[in-house]
Amino acid sequence: MSAEITIDRDGSPHQVGARLQAFREARRLSVRKTALAAGVSASFVSQLERGKCNASVAVLQRLCDVLDIHVSDLFASADAGVRPVRMATREPLVTREGITKYLITPSSYSPLALYDATFDPTANTGDPYSHAGLIETVVVLDHEVTIQLGDDPHILKAGDSISYTSETPHRISNHTNERSRVHWLCAPVLAAGERAESSSNPAPRAP
């Protein structure tokens, strides 16, 4: 039997569920799509978000994988304030063989997620996959990678970048004999109302 999640001093089942819901909604994922991707029922996710049930560690990890967050993000204090993310304290995310991926933004405080990822020679993200709700941007820092978007491969060299919606089937691979490094930014797609508000309040220009 899988172990049940334990609630530490920073969270109750209701608070953990509320954080799970906040991350899901920030990524524009429905309860149904989240549940389907995690291999659980929609009613279970709904009850979990409302603090009406617990989840096993394995199930909680699968839900966090779908949302691209750490399990610890569900228990982080909401009142922690601004804090730096120290290189020495970063922990690699669970990923495919040959890929090391670090979250370098404190995801507990923003739906924006920036990753520092290295790809060993021939390493790749697997078959092309898609999911709803995000705009992704990849910037190559060292060497080269191939970004496949649908049926179209794009070879990016150091300094190159590309952006795409996460609904486009995509795949990242290192086709070289050297270790490649990228920054990978994921941001939620703005709804129509949010786009209108953003355009009516443009960012101030630098002096």
Side-chain angles (χ1 to χ4, degrees), residues 26 30 47 97 112 165:
S30 67
Q47 291 183 43
E97 182 177 358
L112 185 72
T165 64

Side-chain angles (χ1 to χ4, degrees), residues 6-201:
T6 58
I7 305 302
D8 63 11
R9 65 182 183 279
D10 293 319
S12 66
H14 176 73
Q15 290 170 327
V16 169
R19 290 182 184 125
L20 183 71
Q21 181 178 9
F23 281 116
R24 176 182 60 76
E25 292 178 346
R27 284 150 177 75
R28 302 284 192 261
L29 290 173
S30 67
V31 169
R32 181 177 177 277
K33 286 184 177 180
T34 302
L36 183 64
V40 297
S41 69
S43 61
F44 172 80
V45 172
S46 178
Q47 291 183 43
L48 184 62
E49 289 184 346
R50 291 182 287 121
K52 301 298 184 182
C53 68
N54 285 331
S56 69
V57 172
V59 169
L60 202 60
Q61 181 63 63
R62 293 206 303 272
L63 288 167
C64 288
D65 287 346
V66 172
L67 301 177
D68 218 357
I69 61 174
H70 281 289
V71 172
S72 60
D73 289 325
L74 300 179
F75 297 88
S77 172
D79 300 321
V82 177
R83 58 182 174 84
V85 179
R86 306 292 185 188
M87 180 181 293
T89 61
R90 293 178 194 162
E91 295 184 2
L93 300 176
V94 176
T95 186
R96 296 178 63 88
E97 182 177 358
I99 302 175
T100 304
K101 185 178 175 184
Y102 296 91
L103 180 65
I104 58 177
T105 48
S107 64
S108 295
Y109 305 102
S110 172
L112 185 72
L114 177 62
Y115 301 94
D116 187 323
T118 57
F119 288 71
D120 289 344
T122 73
N124 62 77
T125 56
D127 293 332
Y129 65 99
S130 63
H131 50 94
L134 295 177
I135 293 288
E136 300 186 15
T137 296
V138 176
V139 183
V140 180
L141 303 179
D142 296 321
H143 299 292
E144 302 178 9
V145 296
T146 297
I147 311 289
Q148 181 178 339
L149 301 177
D151 295 326
D152 300 322
H154 303 271
I155 296 178
L156 273 63
K157 299 181 179 181
D160 294 344
S161 63
I162 194 168
S163 297
Y164 51 89
T165 64
S166 61
E167 293 181 345
T168 303
H170 52 282
R171 177 180 187 264
I172 303 177
S173 61
N174 179 4
H175 59 271
T176 75
N177 294 322
E178 303 284 345
R179 176 177 292 179
S180 297
R181 179 172 170 234
V182 305
H183 274 176
W184 190 347
L185 178 67
C186 301
V189 176
L190 293 178
E194 293 172 315
R195 288 198 298 269
E197 182 178 352
S198 176
S199 62
S200 63
N201 294 283

